[in-house]
Amino acid sequence: MTTDTAARQPKGIPAGGQFAATAHTEPAIGLVSSEPQSASEHFGVYFAHQELLRRHREQAEVLDHMHQIQSLRCLSSAILAKYPDAAVLRIRESEDGENQFDLISLADADGALLELSLDDDSWTMEEPYLTGPDLRELAWALNPKDDSWAEGVAEFHGGRKYTRMADINLKAATQAPLPDVSPQNDPLTRAFAAQEQKDLIESANFGIITIQDCLDEEHYDSDKKEDLEELRDRVNTLLTNKNR
């Protein structure tokens, strides 16, 4: 899968979850006790960096693909929520030469048009969820140079640049399959290098402060408060090695 996500929008990938830091034999990049001196020591650091870079690239590829699938699911479910009779969403590679798809039309199962961007594209600019991305931005996350996101949910037609289009089956797209994540790339199961563990601990400490700020808010959602308090306590236990 390609990783040229910088040209597509929206930028950034929201991330979350619980991370279990474990001991690891991999050299700690950036934490060596002294500068390497001999050629063998320099090569040891080089290979450690090379392995870390390889794994991070693999993880970025998987995360990017997952982000595309989640964007596709959000896009299709948001459209169906507003247009219950919609069946097919047509998208086309951007005519402006940008590495993204643009929304073209929306049709029902009989082929009758419900929306057409040539007439009015205001329907593509609606934000279906709070202040989140609009429909256009969700479509921009899909990579025109890699069709893996479309497997089982879209059919392509047209082959010339800027005329290549895809018809997305909206119902199928709401359940678009997520990629399998190998154990070595899954943050829930893989081991972390020393620097990665340090980063996670630092992030968790900041997270505890943020959680407490939310709990101190007078108007914070009471239904979520108990779950957030439990999460805070679990993370505090991990950070302070209680009950170990």
Side-chain angles (χ1 to χ4, degrees):
M1 176 178 171
T2 58
T3 58
D4 54 343
T5 58
R8 304 200 310 282
Q9 299 181 32
K11 296 180 180 179
I13 300 177
Q18 296 173 312
F19 297 85
T22 59
H24 197 272
T25 57
E26 181 181 277
I29 306 303
L31 296 180
V32 292
S33 59
S34 61
E35 286 293 323
Q37 300 296 324
S38 67
S40 61
E41 289 175 335
H42 281 293
F43 272 98
V45 175
Y46 167 82
F47 287 124
H49 276 96
Q50 186 180 55
E51 171 59 22
L52 188 61
L53 180 62
R54 179 198 63 78
R55 192 176 71 224
H56 284 185
R57 283 174 173 167
E58 289 180 354
Q59 291 168 347
E61 290 177 357
V62 173
L63 285 172
D64 180 55
H65 187 64
M66 293 178 71
H67 177 59
Q68 292 184 64
I69 297 301
Q70 293 292 5
S71 296
L72 180 62
R73 288 179 170 185
C74 288
L75 174 64
S76 55
S77 60
I79 289 175
L80 288 173
K82 183 173 181 180
Y83 304 89
D85 294 331
V88 177
L89 171 68
R90 175 165 291 184
I91 60 177
R92 182 179 62 198
E93 286 193 35
S94 174
E95 293 181 340
D96 298 328
E98 299 174 352
N99 184 31
Q100 65 188 41
F101 285 106
D102 293 328
L103 303 182
I104 299 302
S105 64
L106 193 61
D108 63 17
D110 296 324
L113 287 177
L114 304 176
E115 295 287 359
L116 181 62
S117 292
L118 296 178
D119 295 334
D120 179 14
D121 61 358
S122 61
W123 66 280
T124 70
M125 302 178 191
E126 296 183 9
E127 296 176 350
Y129 182 76
L130 302 178
T131 58
D134 58 33
L135 299 181
R136 298 172 308 161
E137 293 171 322
L138 290 169
W140 288 342
L142 305 177
N143 190 351
K145 296 183 179 180
D146 185 343
D147 299 342
S148 56
W149 59 266
E151 184 176 354
V153 302
E155 293 183 2
F156 285 88
H157 48 92
R160 299 182 61 185
K161 195 174 184 180
Y162 311 140
T163 62
R164 184 167 175 264
M165 293 181 282
D167 288 336
I168 298 174
N169 181 319
L170 290 169
K171 187 175 181 179
T174 61
Q175 301 296 323
L178 289 167
D180 293 329
V181 181
S182 64
Q184 69 176 15
N185 288 326
D186 190 342
L188 295 176
T189 58
R190 76 172 182 84
F192 292 97
Q195 181 60 52
E196 293 173 318
Q197 293 185 49
K198 181 179 178 181
D199 291 340
L200 290 174
I201 291 171
E202 184 177 355
S203 299
N205 278 312
F206 278 110
I208 288 294
I209 297 173
T210 303
I211 289 175
Q212 193 59 54
D213 287 343
C214 291
L215 293 173
D216 291 341
E217 285 287 337
E218 182 178 352
H219 302 293
Y220 187 78
D221 190 341
S222 58
D223 294 335
K224 299 179 180 179
K225 198 166 186 177
E226 184 176 349
D227 291 339
L228 203 57
E229 288 175 339
E230 292 179 357
L231 175 61
R232 176 200 60 195
D233 294 341
R234 291 199 304 271
V235 175
N236 265 326
T237 298
L238 289 172
L239 293 175
T240 57
N241 291 315
K242 291 179 180 178
N243 303 321
R244 296 296 179 91

